[in-house]
Amino acid sequence: MRWSFRALAALALLGAVGCQDYNFNPVGACYLQPGTKRVRLADVSTADILFVVDDSGSMRGEQDALGANFVSFVSRLNGINVDRASRGLEPIDFHVAVTTTAVFLNQVDPDRTVTCESTCGTTSGPICCVTSDTPDAPLRVPKDCPSGGGCGTGYSCRTTCTGYPGEPICCDSTGTPELETVACTAADATAHKPCGKIYRRYTCNSGVGVAGELYPRGNFVAYGANPRVLHFDKRLYNGPDPKTNEQGHSAQDLMNFFAREISPGVYQGNVIVGTCGTGQEQGFTAAEMAIEKALAGQQPGVSASEWPHAGAKMVVVFVGDEDDCSTPESED
C-alpha cells in the first residue's frame, strides 16, 4: 500500500518568490521547490507530522486552502486504516503538530536613519550609527543573554525585564534593560549600509499570533485552548461508537482543532497561524528548533511522550510562498 502526500505537498511547497523585505544577509537562491513525494508506510505504524506554516502577511489564502484540504487528509487516513485493518495490518496513528516560520525580524528603524559607519560621534566602529540624530549616536538596544550570563555590573539575565516578558534580557532589579551598541562589518561601514535590530515579537493580532507575545521560535502553536498536538491514534478507527481517540476527541474534534470553517471559505484553528509574523520567513530554522525542543522535552505544554515517538516516521511539511531566509541570528 502506498500513501501519497500529494495534496499536502502541493499546498505546502508553493513556488517561492523572494525575501522581499529582508535587509540583511539576503539569500541568493530559492531553497523551497514545488514537488510531491510518495512515502511507503506499509511497515510503519506511527508517524509524527510537523507543519511549518508561513505566518507572514501574504499567507491567509494559503492557510485557508490548507484548512479546506485537511478534511480530505483525514478521510484518506481513515480509508487507509480501514483497509489495513481489513487485511490484518496494524492501523497507523498520526500525531500532528504545527509551528510557524517566525523566528526573528532584522529590520531597519522606520523612524530613523541607521547606517553602518567606521565611527559614530566619539565611538569607534564599525558600528550601527543613528545618523538622523544630531549629533550622530550609536544604535543601542537591549542586551540579549541567551546563555543566561554576560550581563554588566548591576544587571542580571532575566525573563521578566520590562517590555520583554519571556525573553532572556539583561536588566536591573527594577526591570530596566541594559543597553548595548550594535556592531556591523568593516565592509558594510565602507558602503554605509543600513543597519537594524532584531525583533522577536508580534506587533498585531492574527491567528495564533498575539501582539506583544514572542514569535514561536519553533514552539508548537495552538489556537485558543486547542491541544498543541493532535493525536489520530489507532483507537480512533476501531473503537465503539462514538469513535474517539485516547484523549476522548472524535475525528471531527481533531479536524476542528486543526482548522474549523467559521464562514464560507474562512477557517480558524492551529494551522491558521495568521499573518502577523516576520516577513523574513525562517522555516528551516523553525523546524530545527521545533524538533530539538521536542527531543529535549522542552516543547511548552507538550509532554515528552506526545511528540516525537520512538521508531516513528517523521514528516516535516513546509507551507509557504517565499524563499527561506534562515540565517544566523545576527544584525550584520
Side-chain angles (χ1 to χ4, degrees), residues 5 12 58 66 95 170 172 175 187 204 238 262 279 293 295:
F5 285 93
S58 63
L66 181 61
H95 308 271
C170 294
D172 62 20
C204 62
N238 58 10
I262 58 175
K293 289 179 181 181
L295 290 172

Side-chain angles (χ1 to χ4, degrees), residues 98-148:
V98 179
T99 192
T100 85
T101 56
V103 177
F104 67 86
L105 175 66
N106 197 350
Q107 187 176 50
V108 171
D109 190 331
D111 299 319
R112 297 184 295 177
T113 301
V114 185
T115 56
C116 182
E117 304 293 338
S118 57
T119 60
C120 183
T122 59
T123 304
S124 298
I127 192 171
C128 291
C129 183
V130 183
T131 53
S132 59
D133 288 356
T134 304
D136 292 352
L139 177 65
R140 294 172 62 79
V141 300
K143 186 175 184 179
D144 295 331
C145 48
S147 300

Side-chain angles (χ1 to χ4, degrees), residues 1-2 39-45 84 87 89-90 92:
M1 169 64 67
R2 287 181 178 268
V39 182
R40 183 178 292 278
L41 295 175
D43 300 323
V44 177
S45 62
R84 288 175 67 89
R87 294 186 292 118
L89 298 175
E90 186 178 14
I92 301 167

